[in-house]
Amino acid sequence: MTSTTIDAADVTVVHELTMSTPDMGWIARGLLAAAATDEIYGVRCHAHIVAEGLTAVCTATDGYRLHQMHLPLRAPVPAVDVVIPHDLLVWAGKNVRTFKPKKDALIEPVAVLQLVVPAMPDEHTHPGWATVIYREWDDDTAPSARFDAPLRADAYPPTDRLIDAARVAEPGPPSAVNLDFLADARALATAITDPPTIHYTRGTDGKPGPALLDFWAGGVLFGSALIQPSKTETDE
């Protein structure tokens, strides 16, 4: 009798988040705009993606501003929670036009974010791999370009409560915010979103709170930017 032992770390699950190529470019631009660029900030140089069903919620923050994006998927996926590496987003943004739609064609390019994660994760297992794939049309045999990178093992800081708290916070007067951060928030806009709504909040001790920008389209929230107020002379 022969027995075979399978290490739990070797058992993986593959999730594929399928979307349009413009949506992949939108996600890359919007997340990179808010992610930290200095390695001393650790996991904040990367991005957090939580997906389930037909929606993926994608978040990036450098500690001073936060971008959160709601990505519609073309097919449902089971619940998955990963930290996507910075390099993967850079490649996705630079190569989004690898395949261009052809005039009068019945097919169009698609993008896939493939996540290979351990079936039974723990602190000892490798977090898995992420792959961005651009295909000329939606078929595994179609011409394609891809980039692979390891997922990050670091835990991403909790951010949902920050946006939720700002959305219900007491309104405050317009406050000074970093104009570069406001400009970067344009990356959250799409061809169909309305001009963003801006909600200034009131902080503690009479100080201004963060500003919340929401990007809506037809009553559906596509993206949010939360920007901390800039310091003024009275804060020094």
Side-chain angles (χ1 to χ4, degrees), residues 119-131:
M120 293 172 281
D122 60 36
E123 65 273 18
H124 303 296
T125 57
H126 188 280
W129 289 82
T131 303

Side-chain angles (χ1 to χ4, degrees), residues 9-194:
D10 296 330
V11 181
T12 58
V13 179
V14 179
H15 302 292
E16 289 195 345
L17 282 58
T18 305
M19 66 200 78
S20 68
T21 54
D23 277 352
M24 181 69 84
W26 172 63
I27 285 294
R29 290 191 304 272
L31 295 178
L32 288 172
T37 56
D38 193 320
E39 291 184 1
I40 65 171
Y41 290 100
V43 72
R44 290 181 178 177
C45 294
H46 311 289
H48 186 207
I49 294 183
V50 178
E52 185 173 12
L54 289 169
T55 304
V57 180
C58 313
T59 306
T61 180
D62 59 5
Y64 302 99
R65 34 76 185 278
L66 183 156
H67 286 184
Q68 187 175 86
M69 310 170 76
H70 298 261
L71 172 68
L73 303 175
R74 293 191 173 185
V77 295
V80 60
D81 185 331
V82 295
V83 178
I84 298 294
H86 184 273
D87 290 349
L88 192 82
L89 294 171
V90 171
W91 186 90
K94 288 182 177 179
N95 292 276
V96 68
R97 295 180 64 82
T98 299
F99 301 106
K100 300 177 182 179
K102 296 179 180 178
K103 187 177 181 181
D104 300 327
L106 297 178
I107 58 175
E108 63 178 4
V110 298
V112 177
L113 175 59
Q114 185 182 83
L115 305 171
V116 181
V117 296
M120 293 172 281
D122 60 36
E123 65 273 18
H124 303 296
T125 57
H126 188 280
W129 289 82
T131 303
V132 169
I133 307 170
Y134 289 120
R135 295 188 177 121
E136 192 167 10
W137 62 85
D138 192 6
D139 191 282
D140 291 347
T141 63
S144 64
R146 61 185 290 154
F147 183 84
D148 307 277
L151 292 168
R152 303 291 303 186
D154 322 58
Y156 207 80
T159 54
D160 283 347
R161 58 184 176 82
L162 299 178
I163 288 183
D164 292 342
R167 189 162 283 123
V168 299
E170 179 185 357
S175 57
V177 294
N178 188 306
L179 293 181
D180 289 335
F181 292 176
L182 278 177
D184 289 342
R186 292 179 300 180
L188 300 178
T190 73
I192 64 172
T193 50
D194 300 321

